[in-house]
Amino acid sequence: MILDDLQAPIVLAPMAGGPSTPALATAVSAAGGLGFLAAGYLPAATVAEQIAAVRGSTAAPFGVNLFVPGISTPPDRFAGYLTELGREFPLGEPRFDDDDWDAKLELLVAEPVAVVSFTFGCPDPAAVARLRAAGTECWVTVTGAAEARQAREAGADVLIAQGAEAGGHRATFADRPADDVCDPLSTLALVQLLTAAVPGTPIVAAGGLGTGAAVAGVLVAGAHGAQLGTAFLRCPEAGTSPMHRAALTTPTPTALTRAFSGRRARGLLNRFVAEHPDAPAAYPEIHYATGPLRQRARAEGDPDAVNLWAGQVHELTAAEPAGELVRRLTAEADDALRLAISRRIQGY
């Protein structure tokens, strides 16, 4: 298992839409963690170029994340929402696509990487088997025990336990508004539940991890590694916009919203999120429709009309090189574990 060979227990979360870059993935892997490329929203040809860029910069293992295709949403479910937005903002076409799924899968079978992770669903066993036959580990992001069991039955090697604290899109296999009445599980609660539900399955904890002590906490709880995304957003290697970087340093609370993409995602609370609490579930249709809206907001420097994805501990982010961040978090985790053991021994 790749996790057993890493020098650091740090996995870079794949952050599609700009923040993830080959330079960021390279820096994390070169520092002993596991870097990831986010293939979401990119054509297979671009993903191939990014893979080549990482391979040209480091011999260390890295991974690629894919979005599992969902199903299209009937237009009548989101037409009213887009009509409302169109009165104030420029909009694009609310289209559905499969994110170039087949071409990306073929690419990763032909040009295998160490790990392929999946978000927004569970790949079918045949796809998992093809990747594993090529020498690739398959990781599936889950948010509950039922999803974890399904992923294991499909052949997943590792489960990424995404807690409620995580920034960006929720990785639920199905984004059902009816489920919103239930609190999403926190990272620590989810790790415990998965450890019981799928015993012996390696788990990578994700969500709300901004310090080495937090990394140590999930390792003690049973995780084999810790996946961090928000923590890397202010690193110089990340493709994060200047406006997003600045917003991360403020004490702004976060919220889950469908307003920008039609799928629940955690980001900084701003005017757009507050004014559209009842946005419908329609992904990726609303994501594509709001593209021009978000583009204009970035061009105008308007943080109130753009998605500022971030986890709940975004205030702890630092503007330091990614490699230094990996090494610092690892050292902090080691110190926290030693301190906890010392305190426990002294307590006997």
Side-chain angles (χ1 to χ4, degrees), residues 41-126:
Y41 309 129
L42 301 177
T46 301
V47 177
E49 293 172 357
Q50 293 196 356
I51 290 173
V54 177
R55 285 189 169 138
S57 302
T58 180
F62 64 96
V64 173
N65 175 257
L66 299 182
F67 288 170
V68 177
I71 58 175
S72 61
T73 304
D76 62 292
R77 296 186 185 175
F78 56 82
Y81 178 63
L82 295 185
T83 297
E84 175 190 350
L85 292 184
R87 297 189 184 104
E88 183 180 357
F89 302 101
L91 298 179
E93 177 189 356
R95 60 187 175 86
F96 173 83
D97 66 23
D98 67 357
D99 203 46
D100 211 11
W101 169 261
D102 289 335
K104 291 174 184 176
L105 189 61
E106 292 300 324
L107 167 66
L108 292 166
V109 170
E111 299 287 341
V113 295
V115 176
V116 171
S117 68
F118 300 91
T119 302
F120 299 159
C122 182
D124 63 63

Coordinates of all heavy atoms in Angstrom, one line a residue, residues 41-126:
Y41 N -13.2 18.8 -14.4 CA -13.4 19.9 -15.3 C -12.3 20.0 -16.4 O -12.4 20.9 -17.2 CB -13.5 21.2 -14.5 CG -14.4 21.2 -13.4 CD1 -14.0 21.7 -12.1 CD2 -15.7 20.8 -13.5 CE1 -14.9 21.7 -11.0 CE2 -16.6 20.8 -12.4 CZ -16.2 21.2 -11.2 OH -17.0 21.2 -10.1
L42 N -11.4 19.1 -16.5 CA -10.3 19.2 -17.5 C -10.5 18.1 -18.5 O -10.9 17.0 -18.2 CB -8.9 19.1 -16.8 CG -8.5 20.0 -15.7 CD1 -7.2 19.7 -15.2 CD2 -8.5 21.5 -16.3
P43 N -10.2 18.4 -19.8 CA -10.2 17.3 -20.8 C -9.1 16.4 -20.6 O -8.1 16.7 -20.0 CB -10.1 18.1 -22.1 CG -9.4 19.4 -21.7 CD -9.9 19.7 -20.4
A44 N -9.2 15.2 -21.1 CA -8.2 14.1 -20.9 C -6.9 14.6 -21.4 O -5.8 14.3 -20.8 CB -8.7 12.8 -21.6
A45 N -6.8 15.3 -22.5 CA -5.5 15.8 -23.0 C -4.8 16.7 -22.1 O -3.6 16.6 -21.9 CB -5.8 16.5 -24.4
T46 N -5.5 17.6 -21.4 CA -4.9 18.4 -20.4 C -4.4 17.6 -19.2 O -3.3 17.9 -18.6 CB -5.9 19.5 -19.9 OG1 -6.3 20.3 -21.1 CG2 -5.2 20.4 -18.9
V47 N -5.2 16.6 -18.8 CA -4.7 15.8 -17.7 C -3.5 15.1 -18.0 O -2.5 14.9 -17.2 CB -5.9 14.8 -17.3 CG1 -5.4 13.8 -16.2 CG2 -7.1 15.5 -16.9
A48 N -3.4 14.6 -19.3 CA -2.1 13.9 -19.7 C -0.9 14.8 -19.6 O 0.2 14.4 -19.2 CB -2.3 13.4 -21.2
E49 N -1.1 16.1 -20.0 CA 0.0 17.1 -19.9 C 0.4 17.3 -18.5 O 1.6 17.4 -18.2 CB -0.5 18.4 -20.6 CG -0.7 18.3 -22.1 CD -1.4 19.6 -22.6 OE1 -1.7 20.5 -21.8 OE2 -1.6 19.7 -23.9
Q50 N -0.6 17.4 -17.6 CA -0.2 17.6 -16.2 C 0.5 16.4 -15.6 O 1.4 16.6 -14.8 CB -1.5 18.0 -15.4 CG -2.1 19.3 -15.8 CD -3.1 19.8 -14.8 OE1 -3.4 19.2 -13.8 NE2 -3.6 21.0 -15.0
I51 N 0.0 15.2 -16.0 CA 0.7 14.0 -15.5 C 2.2 14.0 -15.9 O 3.1 13.7 -15.2 CB 0.0 12.7 -16.0 CG1 -1.3 12.6 -15.3 CG2 0.9 11.5 -15.8 CD1 -2.2 11.5 -15.8
A52 N 2.4 14.4 -17.2 CA 3.7 14.4 -17.7 C 4.6 15.5 -17.0 O 5.8 15.3 -16.8 CB 3.7 14.8 -19.2
A53 N 3.9 16.6 -16.6 CA 4.7 17.7 -15.9 C 5.1 17.2 -14.6 O 6.3 17.5 -14.1 CB 3.8 18.9 -15.8
V54 N 4.3 16.5 -13.9 CA 4.7 15.9 -12.5 C 5.8 14.9 -12.7 O 6.8 14.9 -12.0 CB 3.5 15.4 -11.8 CG1 3.9 14.8 -10.4 CG2 2.4 16.4 -11.5
R55 N 5.6 14.0 -13.6 CA 6.6 13.0 -13.9 C 8.0 13.6 -14.3 O 9.0 13.0 -14.0 CB 6.1 12.0 -14.9 CG 5.1 11.0 -14.4 CD 4.8 10.0 -15.4 NE 4.0 8.9 -14.8 CZ 2.9 8.3 -15.4 NH1 2.6 8.7 -16.7 NH2 2.2 7.4 -14.8
G56 N 7.9 14.7 -14.9 CA 9.2 15.4 -15.3 C 9.8 16.1 -14.2 O 11.0 16.5 -14.3
S57 N 9.1 16.2 -13.0 CA 9.7 17.0 -11.9 C 10.0 16.1 -10.7 O 10.8 16.6 -9.9 CB 8.6 18.0 -11.5 OG 8.3 18.9 -12.5
T58 N 9.4 14.9 -10.6 CA 9.8 14.1 -9.4 C 9.5 12.6 -9.8 O 8.6 12.3 -10.6 CB 8.9 14.5 -8.2 OG1 9.2 13.6 -7.1 CG2 7.4 14.3 -8.5
A59 N 10.3 11.8 -9.2 CA 10.1 10.3 -9.3 C 9.2 9.8 -8.2 O 8.9 8.6 -8.2 CB 11.4 9.6 -9.3
A60 N 8.8 10.6 -7.3 CA 7.9 10.2 -6.2 C 6.5 9.9 -6.7 O 6.0 10.4 -7.7 CB 7.8 11.3 -5.1
P61 N 5.8 9.0 -6.0 CA 4.4 8.6 -6.4 C 3.5 9.8 -6.3 O 3.7 10.6 -5.4 CB 4.1 7.4 -5.5 CG 4.9 7.6 -4.3 CD 6.2 8.2 -4.8
F62 N 2.4 9.8 -7.1 CA 1.4 10.8 -7.0 C 0.1 10.2 -7.5 O 0.1 9.1 -8.0 CB 1.7 12.1 -7.7 CG 1.8 11.9 -9.2 CD1 0.8 12.2 -10.1 CD2 3.0 11.4 -9.8 CE1 0.8 12.0 -11.4 CE2 3.1 11.2 -11.2 CZ 2.0 11.5 -12.0
G63 N -1.0 10.9 -7.3 CA -2.3 10.4 -7.7 C -3.1 11.3 -8.6 O -2.7 12.5 -8.7
V64 N -4.1 10.8 -9.2 CA -5.1 11.6 -10.0 C -6.5 11.4 -9.5 O -6.8 10.2 -9.2 CB -4.9 11.3 -11.5 CG1 -6.0 12.0 -12.3 CG2 -3.5 11.6 -12.0
N65 N -7.3 12.4 -9.4 CA -8.6 12.3 -8.9 C -9.6 12.5 -10.1 O -9.5 13.4 -10.9 CB -9.0 13.4 -7.9 CG -10.4 13.3 -7.5 OD1 -11.2 14.2 -7.9 ND2 -10.8 12.4 -6.6
L66 N -10.6 11.6 -10.1 CA -11.6 11.6 -11.2 C -13.0 11.9 -10.5 O -13.3 11.4 -9.4 CB -11.7 10.3 -11.9 CG -10.5 9.9 -12.7 CD1 -10.7 8.5 -13.5 CD2 -10.0 10.9 -13.7
F67 N -13.9 12.6 -11.3 CA -15.3 12.7 -10.9 C -16.1 11.6 -11.5 O -16.0 11.4 -12.7 CB -15.8 14.0 -11.4 CG -15.3 15.3 -10.7 CD1 -15.6 16.5 -11.2 CD2 -14.6 15.2 -9.5 CE1 -15.2 17.7 -10.6 CE2 -14.1 16.3 -8.9 CZ -14.4 17.6 -9.4
V68 N -16.8 10.8 -10.7 CA -17.7 9.8 -11.2 C -18.9 10.4 -11.8 O -19.6 11.2 -11.1 CB -18.0 8.8 -10.1 CG1 -19.0 7.7 -10.6 CG2 -16.8 8.1 -9.5
P69 N -19.3 10.1 -13.0 CA -20.4 10.8 -13.7 C -21.7 10.5 -12.9 O -21.9 9.4 -12.4 CB -20.5 10.2 -15.1 CG -19.1 9.7 -15.3 CD -18.6 9.2 -14.0
G70 N -22.6 11.5 -12.8 CA -23.9 11.3 -12.2 C -24.9 11.2 -13.3 O -24.7 10.6 -14.4
I71 N -26.1 11.7 -13.1 CA -27.2 11.7 -14.1 C -27.7 13.1 -14.3 O -27.6 13.9 -13.4 CB -28.3 10.7 -13.6 CG1 -28.9 11.2 -12.3 CG2 -27.9 9.3 -13.6 CD1 -30.1 10.4 -11.8
S72 N -28.2 13.3 -15.4 CA -28.7 14.7 -15.7 C -30.0 15.0 -14.9 O -30.7 14.1 -14.5 CB -29.0 14.8 -17.2 OG -30.0 13.9 -17.6
T73 N -30.2 16.3 -14.7 CA -31.4 16.8 -13.9 C -32.4 17.4 -14.9 O -32.0 18.2 -15.8 CB -30.9 17.8 -12.9 OG1 -29.9 17.3 -12.1 CG2 -32.1 18.3 -12.1
P74 N -33.6 17.0 -14.8 CA -34.7 17.7 -15.7 C -34.6 19.2 -15.5 O -34.6 19.7 -14.4 CB -36.0 17.1 -15.1 CG -35.6 15.8 -14.5 CD -34.2 16.0 -13.9
P75 N -34.6 19.9 -16.7 CA -34.5 21.4 -16.6 C -35.6 22.1 -15.8 O -35.3 23.1 -15.2 CB -34.7 21.8 -18.1 CG -34.2 20.5 -18.9 CD -34.7 19.4 -18.0
D76 N -36.7 21.5 -15.6 CA -37.8 22.2 -14.9 C -37.4 22.3 -13.4 O -38.0 23.1 -12.7 CB -39.1 21.5 -15.0 CG -39.1 20.0 -14.5 OD1 -38.4 19.2 -15.1 OD2 -39.7 19.8 -13.4
R77 N -36.4 21.5 -12.9 CA -36.1 21.6 -11.5 C -35.1 22.8 -11.2 O -35.0 23.1 -10.0 CB -35.4 20.3 -11.1 CG -36.3 19.1 -11.2 CD -35.6 17.8 -10.6 NE -36.4 16.6 -10.8 CZ -36.0 15.4 -10.5 NH1 -34.8 15.2 -9.9 NH2 -36.8 14.4 -10.7
F78 N -34.5 23.3 -12.2 CA -33.6 24.4 -12.0 C -33.9 25.7 -12.8 O -33.2 26.7 -12.7 CB -32.1 24.0 -12.1 CG -31.8 23.4 -13.5 CD1 -31.5 24.2 -14.6 CD2 -31.7 22.1 -13.7 CE1 -31.2 23.7 -15.8 CE2 -31.4 21.5 -14.9 CZ -31.2 22.3 -16.0
A79 N -34.8 25.6 -13.7 CA -35.1 26.7 -14.6 C -35.5 28.0 -13.9 O -35.0 29.1 -14.2 CB -36.2 26.3 -15.6
G80 N -36.3 27.9 -12.8 CA -36.7 29.0 -12.1 C -35.6 29.7 -11.4 O -35.5 30.9 -11.3
Y81 N -34.7 28.9 -10.8 CA -33.5 29.5 -10.1 C -32.6 30.2 -11.1 O -32.2 31.4 -10.8 CB -32.7 28.3 -9.5 CG -31.4 28.7 -8.8 CD1 -31.5 29.6 -7.7 CD2 -30.2 28.3 -9.2 CE1 -30.3 30.0 -7.0 CE2 -29.0 28.7 -8.6 CZ -29.1 29.5 -7.5 OH -27.9 29.9 -6.9
L82 N -32.4 29.7 -12.3 CA -31.5 30.4 -13.3 C -32.2 31.6 -13.8 O -31.5 32.6 -14.1 CB -31.2 29.4 -14.4 CG -30.3 28.2 -14.0 CD1 -29.9 27.4 -15.2 CD2 -29.1 28.7 -13.2
T83 N -33.5 31.6 -13.9 CA -34.2 32.8 -14.4 C -34.0 33.9 -13.4 O -33.8 35.1 -13.7 CB -35.7 32.5 -14.5 OG1 -35.9 31.5 -15.6 CG2 -36.5 33.7 -14.9
E84 N -34.1 33.5 -12.1 CA -33.9 34.5 -11.0 C -32.5 35.1 -11.1 O -32.3 36.3 -11.0 CB -34.2 33.9 -9.7 CG -33.9 34.8 -8.5 CD -33.9 34.0 -7.1 OE1 -34.3 32.8 -7.1 OE2 -33.5 34.6 -6.1
L85 N -31.5 34.2 -11.2 CA -30.1 34.7 -11.3 C -29.9 35.6 -12.5 O -29.1 36.5 -12.4 CB -29.1 33.5 -11.3 CG -29.0 32.6 -10.1 CD1 -28.0 31.6 -10.3 CD2 -28.7 33.5 -8.8
G86 N -30.5 35.2 -13.6 CA -30.3 35.9 -14.9 C -30.7 37.3 -14.9 O -30.3 38.1 -15.7
R87 N -31.6 37.7 -13.9 CA -32.0 39.1 -13.8 C -30.9 40.0 -13.3 O -31.0 41.2 -13.5 CB -33.2 39.2 -12.9 CG -34.5 38.4 -13.3 CD -35.7 38.8 -12.5 NE -36.8 38.0 -12.9 CZ -37.3 37.0 -12.2 NH1 -36.7 36.6 -11.1 NH2 -38.4 36.3 -12.6
E88 N -29.9 39.4 -12.7 CA -28.8 40.2 -12.1 C -27.4 39.8 -12.6 O -26.5 40.7 -12.6 CB -28.8 40.0 -10.5 CG -27.8 40.8 -9.8 CD -27.9 40.6 -8.3 OE1 -28.7 39.9 -7.8 OE2 -27.0 41.2 -7.6
F89 N -27.2 38.6 -13.0 CA -25.9 38.1 -13.4 C -25.9 37.5 -14.8 O -26.9 37.0 -15.3 CB -25.4 37.0 -12.4 CG -25.4 37.4 -11.0 CD1 -26.5 37.1 -10.1 CD2 -24.4 38.2 -10.5 CE1 -26.4 37.4 -8.8 CE2 -24.3 38.6 -9.1 CZ -25.4 38.2 -8.3
P90 N -24.7 37.6 -15.4 CA -24.5 36.9 -16.7 C -24.4 35.4 -16.5 O -23.8 34.9 -15.5 CB -23.2 37.4 -17.2 CG -22.4 37.7 -16.0 CD -23.4 38.3 -15.0
L91 N -25.1 34.6 -17.3 CA -25.1 33.1 -17.1 C -24.7 32.4 -18.4 O -24.7 33.0 -19.5 CB -26.5 32.6 -16.7 CG -27.1 33.2 -15.4 CD1 -28.5 32.6 -15.1 CD2 -26.2 32.8 -14.2
G92 N -24.3 31.2 -18.2 CA -23.9 30.3 -19.3 C -25.0 29.2 -19.5 O -26.0 29.2 -18.9
E93 N -24.6 28.3 -20.4 CA -25.6 27.2 -20.7 C -25.6 26.1 -19.6 O -24.5 25.7 -19.1 CB -25.1 26.5 -22.0 CG -26.0 25.3 -22.4 CD -25.4 24.5 -23.5 OE1 -24.4 24.9 -24.1 OE2 -26.0 23.5 -23.9
P94 N -26.7 25.8 -19.0 CA -26.8 24.8 -18.0 C -26.8 23.4 -18.5 O -27.8 22.7 -18.6 CB -28.2 25.1 -17.3 CG -29.0 25.6 -18.5 CD -28.1 26.4 -19.3
R95 N -25.6 22.9 -18.9 CA -25.5 21.6 -19.6 C -25.0 20.5 -18.7 O -24.4 20.8 -17.6 CB -24.5 21.8 -20.8 CG -23.1 22.2 -20.3 CD -22.2 22.4 -21.6 NE -20.9 23.0 -21.2 CZ -19.8 22.2 -20.9 NH1 -19.9 20.9 -20.9 NH2 -18.7 22.8 -20.6
F96 N -25.2 19.3 -19.1 CA -24.8 18.1 -18.4 C -23.7 17.5 -19.2 O -23.8 17.4 -20.5 CB -25.9 17.1 -18.2 CG -25.5 15.8 -17.6 CD1 -25.3 15.6 -16.3 CD2 -25.2 14.7 -18.5 CE1 -24.8 14.4 -15.7 CE2 -24.7 13.5 -18.0 CZ -24.5 13.4 -16.6
D97 N -22.6 16.9 -18.6 CA -21.7 16.1 -19.3 C -21.1 15.1 -18.3 O -21.4 15.1 -17.1 CB -20.6 16.9 -19.9 CG -19.7 17.7 -18.9 OD1 -19.6 17.3 -17.8 OD2 -19.0 18.7 -19.3
D98 N -20.3 14.2 -18.8 CA -19.7 13.1 -17.9 C -18.2 13.4 -17.6 O -17.5 12.5 -17.1 CB -19.8 11.7 -18.6 CG -19.0 11.6 -19.8 OD1 -18.3 12.6 -20.3 OD2 -18.9 10.5 -20.4
D99 N -17.8 14.7 -17.8 CA -16.5 15.1 -17.4 C -15.4 14.3 -18.1 O -14.3 14.1 -17.6 CB -16.3 15.1 -15.9 CG -15.2 16.0 -15.4 OD1 -15.1 17.2 -15.8 OD2 -14.3 15.6 -14.6
D100 N -15.7 13.9 -19.4 CA -14.7 13.2 -20.2 C -14.2 11.9 -19.5 O -13.1 11.5 -19.6 CB -13.5 14.1 -20.5 CG -12.8 13.8 -21.8 OD1 -13.4 13.0 -22.6 OD2 -11.7 14.3 -22.1
W101 N -15.2 11.2 -18.8 CA -14.9 10.1 -18.0 C -14.2 8.9 -18.8 O -13.1 8.5 -18.3 CB -16.2 9.5 -17.4 CG -16.1 8.2 -16.8 CD1 -16.5 7.0 -17.3 CD2 -15.7 7.9 -15.4 NE1 -16.3 6.0 -16.4 CE2 -15.8 6.5 -15.3 CE3 -15.2 8.7 -14.4 CZ2 -15.4 5.9 -14.1 CZ3 -14.8 8.0 -13.2 CH2 -14.9 6.7 -13.1
D102 N -14.7 8.5 -19.9 CA -14.1 7.4 -20.6 C -12.7 7.7 -21.1 O -11.8 6.8 -21.0 CB -15.0 7.0 -21.8 CG -16.3 6.4 -21.4 OD1 -16.4 5.8 -20.3 OD2 -17.3 6.5 -22.2
A103 N -12.5 8.9 -21.6 CA -11.2 9.2 -22.1 C -10.2 9.3 -21.0 O -9.0 8.9 -21.1 CB -11.2 10.6 -22.8
K104 N -10.6 9.8 -19.8 CA -9.6 9.9 -18.7 C -9.3 8.5 -18.1 O -8.2 8.2 -17.7 CB -10.2 10.8 -17.6 CG -10.3 12.2 -17.9 CD -11.0 13.1 -16.9 CE -11.2 14.5 -17.3 NZ -12.0 15.3 -16.3
L105 N -10.3 7.6 -18.1 CA -10.1 6.3 -17.6 C -9.1 5.6 -18.6 O -8.2 4.9 -18.1 CB -11.4 5.5 -17.5 CG -11.4 4.2 -16.9 CD1 -10.9 4.3 -15.4 CD2 -12.8 3.5 -16.9
E106 N -9.3 5.7 -19.9 CA -8.4 5.1 -20.8 C -7.0 5.6 -20.7 O -6.0 4.9 -20.8 CB -8.9 5.3 -22.3 CG -10.2 4.6 -22.6 CD -10.1 3.1 -22.5 OE1 -9.0 2.6 -22.8 OE2 -11.1 2.5 -22.1
L107 N -6.9 6.9 -20.4 CA -5.6 7.5 -20.2 C -4.9 6.9 -19.0 O -3.7 6.6 -19.1 CB -5.7 9.0 -20.0 CG -4.5 9.8 -19.5 CD1 -3.4 9.8 -20.5 CD2 -4.9 11.2 -19.1
L108 N -5.6 6.7 -17.9 CA -5.0 6.3 -16.7 C -4.7 4.8 -16.7 O -3.9 4.3 -16.0 CB -5.8 6.6 -15.5 CG -5.9 8.1 -15.2 CD1 -7.0 8.5 -14.3 CD2 -4.5 8.6 -14.7
V109 N -5.4 4.0 -17.6 CA -5.0 2.6 -17.8 C -3.8 2.5 -18.7 O -2.9 1.7 -18.4 CB -6.2 1.9 -18.5 CG1 -5.8 0.5 -18.9 CG2 -7.4 1.8 -17.5
A110 N -3.7 3.4 -19.7 CA -2.5 3.4 -20.6 C -1.3 4.0 -19.9 O -0.2 3.5 -20.2 CB -2.9 4.1 -21.9
E111 N -1.5 5.0 -19.1 CA -0.4 5.7 -18.4 C -0.6 5.7 -16.9 O -1.0 6.7 -16.3 CB -0.3 7.2 -18.9 CG 0.0 7.3 -20.4 CD 1.4 6.9 -20.8 OE1 2.3 6.9 -19.9 OE2 1.7 6.7 -22.0
P112 N -0.5 4.5 -16.3 CA -0.9 4.4 -14.9 C -0.1 5.3 -13.9 O 1.1 5.5 -14.1 CB -0.7 2.9 -14.6 CG 0.3 2.4 -15.7 CD 0.0 3.3 -16.9
V113 N -0.8 5.8 -12.9 CA -0.2 6.5 -11.8 C -0.3 5.6 -10.6 O -1.0 4.6 -10.6 CB -0.8 7.9 -11.6 CG1 -0.6 8.7 -12.9 CG2 -2.3 7.7 -11.4
A114 N 0.3 6.1 -9.5 CA 0.3 5.3 -8.3 C -1.1 5.1 -7.7 O -1.5 4.0 -7.3 CB 1.2 5.9 -7.2
V115 N -1.9 6.2 -7.7 CA -3.2 6.1 -7.1 C -4.2 6.9 -8.0 O -3.9 7.9 -8.6 CB -3.3 6.8 -5.7 CG1 -4.7 6.8 -5.2 CG2 -2.3 6.0 -4.8
V116 N -5.4 6.3 -8.2 CA -6.5 7.1 -8.8 C -7.6 7.1 -7.7 O -8.0 6.1 -7.2 CB -7.1 6.4 -10.0 CG1 -8.4 7.1 -10.5 CG2 -6.0 6.5 -11.2
S117 N -8.1 8.3 -7.4 CA -9.2 8.5 -6.4 C -10.4 8.9 -7.1 O -10.3 9.5 -8.2 CB -8.8 9.4 -5.3 OG -8.7 10.8 -5.7
F118 N -11.5 8.6 -6.5 CA -12.8 8.9 -7.1 C -13.7 9.8 -6.1 O -13.7 9.5 -4.9 CB -13.6 7.7 -7.4 CG -12.8 6.8 -8.4 CD1 -12.0 5.8 -8.0 CD2 -13.0 6.9 -9.8 CE1 -11.3 5.0 -8.8 CE2 -12.3 6.1 -10.7 CZ -11.4 5.2 -10.2
T119 N -14.4 10.7 -6.7 CA -15.3 11.6 -6.0 C -16.7 11.6 -6.7 O -16.7 11.5 -7.9 CB -14.7 13.0 -5.9 OG1 -13.4 13.0 -5.3 CG2 -15.6 14.0 -5.1
F120 N -17.7 11.8 -5.9 CA -19.1 11.9 -6.4 C -19.7 10.6 -6.7 O -20.7 10.5 -7.4 CB -19.2 12.9 -7.6 CG -18.8 14.3 -7.4 CD1 -18.5 15.1 -8.4 CD2 -18.8 14.8 -6.1 CE1 -18.1 16.4 -8.2 CE2 -18.4 16.2 -5.9 CZ -18.0 16.9 -7.0
G121 N -19.1 9.5 -6.3 CA -19.7 8.2 -6.6 C -18.7 7.1 -6.5 O -17.5 7.3 -6.2
C122 N -19.2 5.9 -6.8 CA -18.3 4.7 -6.8 C -18.2 4.2 -8.2 O -19.2 3.9 -8.9 CB -18.9 3.7 -5.8 SG -17.9 2.2 -5.7
P123 N -17.0 4.0 -8.7 CA -16.8 3.4 -10.0 C -17.3 2.0 -10.0 O -17.3 1.3 -9.0 CB -15.3 3.6 -10.3 CG -14.7 3.5 -8.9 CD -15.7 4.2 -8.0
D124 N -17.6 1.5 -11.2 CA -18.1 0.1 -11.3 C -16.9 -0.8 -11.1 O -15.7 -0.4 -11.3 CB -18.8 -0.2 -12.6 CG -18.0 0.0 -13.8 OD1 -17.0 -0.8 -13.9 OD2 -18.3 0.9 -14.6
P125 N -17.1 -2.1 -10.6 CA -16.0 -3.0 -10.4 C -15.1 -3.2 -11.6 O -13.9 -3.4 -11.4 CB -16.7 -4.3 -10.0 CG -18.0 -3.8 -9.4 CD -18.4 -2.6 -10.2
A126 N -15.7 -3.1 -12.8 CA -14.8 -3.3 -14.0 C -13.8 -2.2 -14.1 O -12.6 -2.5 -14.5 CB -15.7 -3.4 -15.2

